Structure formats: structure tokens, C-alpha cells
Amino acid sequence: MNFKGRDVVSIKDFSKKEITYILDYTKRIYPYAIGKKHTDLLKRKILSLLFFEPSTRTRLSFESAMNRLGGSSIGFADPSATSQKKGESLSDTIRMADAYSDIIVVRHPQEGAARLAAEFADSPVINGGDGAGRHPTQCLLDLFTIQTEKKQIEGNNIVLLGDLKYGRTVHSLAYALALFGAELSFVSPSNLKMPDEVISECKELGVNPTSTSNLEKAIKDADVLYVTRIQKERFPDPAEYNRVIGSYKIDNALLKTAQKKIIIMHPLPRVTEIDPEVDNTLHAVYFKQAFNGVPVRMALLSLVIGGNQL
Ligand code: NCD
């Protein structure tokens, strides 16, 4: 299996076999991610982090991952402090990062920006989220979390809830879950449904997701409830956002109607969709899930840059 030099723009760039390989390798790398073991595998390698949109977890976990592998990182979290402010194009900024580093992570508000970046860079480009498009590394950590919490992905009844229209994490995840043979249920307000393109991708893989706005019904059989934030920044009309914010709230009363072993996931940040009272229950795995970004990204960086393995 060869990952060296590859771009990671969409989870669809990988086969099921390759994803399984990355998840297995993540398990092996885990002790390095928690500081129990140490390595200099990526010593003298440099990662560029180009964040044209806000980020906490994706940026910091990539930085942590690179440090844990003995490499270092450069970049920006606020494009207004770069020459973008002077009118520089995305492609020119990418050319510079390409010259200054060995691998580039880019997050951008425009769908397709990572694919464009990959065309301009000789170094591998990893998509850290492109508008309402895709978020492949979040997808890998979501899969890793389900696999570790539920033993396997196949056969689980998984509910994706919230802003399925603008939420990029669920676009990548729905495809990957279908690839692994999960049962899928999409729950959203009627104006924030999963795009037809993603539903077709699932169907092509032989999975026929159900779509509803009724969470109470869908949650009864769920093994996994994956909650998402309503993506305020992507609404053309703020009045439309105000109509849907607060549509769903996960709290302990609702969870009493669910299976005892249900797990609650969320890519974070959460706003109002999960009551903090849920945090202390055994159902809540979202903080563990966020941590899993470190070992998953370590696995990916070492495979794509190094070709070497721990
Ligand atoms: C998500 C994103 O940026 O798409 N966050 C993340 O990367 N963990 C989810 C979100 O912003 O709602």
C-alpha cells in the first residue's frame, strides 16, 4: 500500500482497504500520540498550516501530531495578517507554502479550494475543510472513534443529525459509513437536508439512507448519534438561520428514550445542540473523538510524507 506523496482532498480518494490500513496504523501509533512513546520519524520535515477559516481542533491537532513525530510546522490562522490582504491569489500563497515546506494543510471557505491547491503544489496537500464541501481527516477520526467505541463500523445504525446541507463533516462521513456497510439515517430540518449528491453516493455503495426531521423516532434504534452544529456562517440569509437554530437539543431526558449503549458524537464546536449535562454520561464520546484527531493525523502525516512507519 503506497501513500507517499498523495494528496488527501476527499475521502473518496481512498479505497476501503486503504482506509482500513490507516485506521489500523492509527491504533499502532496511539501510544506516541499520548506521549507514552517517542519518535523522530519526521525530523526536519515541515508542515504548512494555511487556515483561511477559523479552527481549533483541526489546526491544533495537526500541529500536535507533527510535533509528536519530531517535525515542525509553520503557517497562519488568520489570512488577514498575510498578503491575501494585499490581494494575493490562493494559488500564489500555495506556491509559497510549497516552497517553504514538505506538506500543506489548507482550510478554505470555498468548496473545491483544496483540489485547486493540490494542482498548484508539488508537495502533498491535505484538505482541512473546504466550505460546505468535504473534510476527509475529520472523517478518518470519526471512523476511528466509531471503530474503537463500537468494535466495528459495519452493521451499526448511525444517525447523522443537524445541518446536513452545509456541514462538510457529514458529507465525507456518510460516504465512508456507506462504504463500510453501516445503516444510515439522516435527520435534519427540512431546509437543511443531505445533498442529493451524497445520497446518490451512498446508494451506489448499496446503502439506502432514510431521511426525516423526526429525531424522537430515529433515535430509538440508533447505536451512534452524530450531532452537528447549524453552520451559521454559510447561510445566505440570517433570518433563515434564526428559524432553524435550536431545532434539536440532545439532553438526558431525550437520551432516556434511546438505547442504553448509544454513543453521542460531534465534530465540535457545539453551540446549543448538546446540553452540557450530557458531558458526564457514558454516552458522550465527543471529547475523546476530538483527541483522536492527533493519532489519526499522525498516521496520515507519516504515511504521506515519510512512507516510513512506526
Ligand atoms: C467542523 C468543521 O470545521 O467543519 N469542525 C471540525 O473540524 N472539527 C465542524 C463545524 O465547524 O461545525
Side-chain angles (χ1 to χ4, degrees), residues 108-224:
H108 198 277
Q110 243 171 317
E111 238 176 282
R115 185 72 70 196
L116 183 88
E119 275 165 29
F120 281 94
D122 291 332
S123 318
V125 169
I126 299 181
N127 182 4
D130 62 326
R134 306 280 162 149
H135 197 344
T137 64
Q138 178 72 40
C139 177
L140 289 169
L141 75 91
D142 292 341
L143 294 175
F144 182 75
T145 304
I146 296 171
Q147 198 179 59
T148 47
E149 297 297 320
K150 290 284 179 195
K151 306 281 180 279
Q152 60 175 40
I153 300 165
E154 192 184 347
N156 279 300
N157 179 317
I158 301 183
V159 174
L160 304 184
L161 169 73
D163 187 346
L164 307 185
K165 180 177 177 184
Y166 297 120
R168 54 195 172 201
T169 70
V170 283
H171 299 163
S172 297
L173 186 59
Y175 169 84
L177 290 174
L179 187 66
F180 278 82
E183 243 179 82
L184 291 177
S185 190
F186 300 153
V187 184
S188 69
S190 59
N191 57 340
L192 296 178
K193 280 191 184 144
M194 188 64 93
D196 289 340
E197 184 196 339
V198 178
I199 295 180
S200 306
E201 288 173 8
C202 294
K203 286 186 177 159
E204 276 166 32
L205 292 166
V207 173
N208 203 352
T210 57
S211 292
T212 174
S213 56
N214 187 340
L215 174 62
E216 283 74 19
K217 205 165 151 219
I219 201 176
K220 288 203 164 72
D221 299 318
D223 300 300
V224 178

Side-chain angles (χ1 to χ4, degrees), residues 22 25-26 29 65 69 294-304:
I22 296 168
Y25 183 39
T26 300
I29 235 171
L69 290 166
V294 177
V296 163
R297 289 174 173 125
M298 284 175 77
L300 211 53
L301 288 172
S302 70
L303 289 171
V304 171

Side-chain angles (χ1 to χ4, degrees), residues 40-303:
D40 269 334
L41 190 73
L42 294 188
K43 196 171 171 185
R44 284 189 284 275
K45 297 290 184 191
I46 301 174
L47 162 72
S48 274
L49 293 161
L50 311 184
F51 278 69
F52 295 87
E53 269 196 339
S55 170
T56 300
R57 280 148 287 270
T58 305
R59 191 170 61 83
L60 295 183
S61 64
F62 260 117
E63 206 167 330
S64 171
M66 195 59 183
N67 281 317
R68 293 275 195 210
L69 290 166
S72 56
S73 44
I74 57 172
F76 56 83
D78 178 6
S80 70
T82 73
S83 286
Q84 289 276 316
K85 187 81 174 170
K86 302 178 186 171
E88 185 164 67
S89 65
L90 173 65
S91 51
D92 281 0
T93 306
I94 294 295
R95 281 190 177 101
M96 292 305 103
D98 195 22
Y100 300 151
S101 60
D102 303 291
I103 185 164
I104 301 167
V105 177
V106 63
R107 167 172 287 190
H108 198 277
Q110 243 171 317
E111 238 176 282
R115 185 72 70 196
L116 183 88
E119 275 165 29
F120 281 94
D122 291 332
S123 318
V125 169
I126 299 181
N127 182 4
D130 62 326
R134 306 280 162 149
H135 197 344
T137 64
Q138 178 72 40
C139 177
L140 289 169
L141 75 91
D142 292 341
L143 294 175
F144 182 75
T145 304
I146 296 171
Q147 198 179 59
T148 47
E149 297 297 320
K150 290 284 179 195
K151 306 281 180 279
Q152 60 175 40
I153 300 165
E154 192 184 347
N156 279 300
N157 179 317
I158 301 183
V159 174
L160 304 184
L161 169 73
D163 187 346
L164 307 185
K165 180 177 177 184
Y166 297 120
R168 54 195 172 201
T169 70
V170 283
H171 299 163
S172 297
L173 186 59
Y175 169 84
L177 290 174
L179 187 66
F180 278 82
E183 243 179 82
L184 291 177
S185 190
F186 300 153
V187 184
S188 69
S190 59
N191 57 340
L192 296 178
K193 280 191 184 144
M194 188 64 93
D196 289 340
E197 184 196 339
V198 178
I199 295 180
S200 306
E201 288 173 8
C202 294
K203 286 186 177 159
E204 276 166 32
L205 292 166
V207 173
N208 203 352
T210 57
S211 292
T212 174
S213 56
N214 187 340
L215 174 62
E216 283 74 19
K217 205 165 151 219
I219 201 176
K220 288 203 164 72
D221 299 318
D223 300 300
V224 178
L225 175 61
Y226 187 98
V227 188
T228 62
R229 170 180 74 91
I230 309 278
Q231 308 278 298
K232 185 179 185 181
E233 66 277 27
R234 312 218 190 276
F235 280 68
D237 175 8
E240 204 193 326
Y241 171 77
N242 289 330
R243 261 198 305 278
V244 287
I245 181 68
S247 298
Y248 301 105
K249 181 154 195 146
I250 311 305
D251 57 18
N252 286 344
L254 178 73
L255 289 175
K256 284 213 171 74
T257 69
Q259 297 198 55
K260 275 207 169 63
K261 286 198 163 164
I262 190 173
I263 59 166
I264 311 299
M265 297 175 65
H266 193 308
L268 302 177
R270 67 171 149 180
V271 189
T272 57
E273 58 279 359
I274 300 180
D275 193 306
E277 70 180 13
V278 177
D279 299 359
N280 297 325
T281 68
L282 289 174
H283 305 298
V285 303
Y286 28 90
F287 295 121
K288 244 195 263 181
Q289 177 189 355
F291 173 73
N292 288 339
V294 177
V296 163
R297 289 174 173 125
M298 284 175 77
L300 211 53
L301 288 172
S302 70
L303 289 171

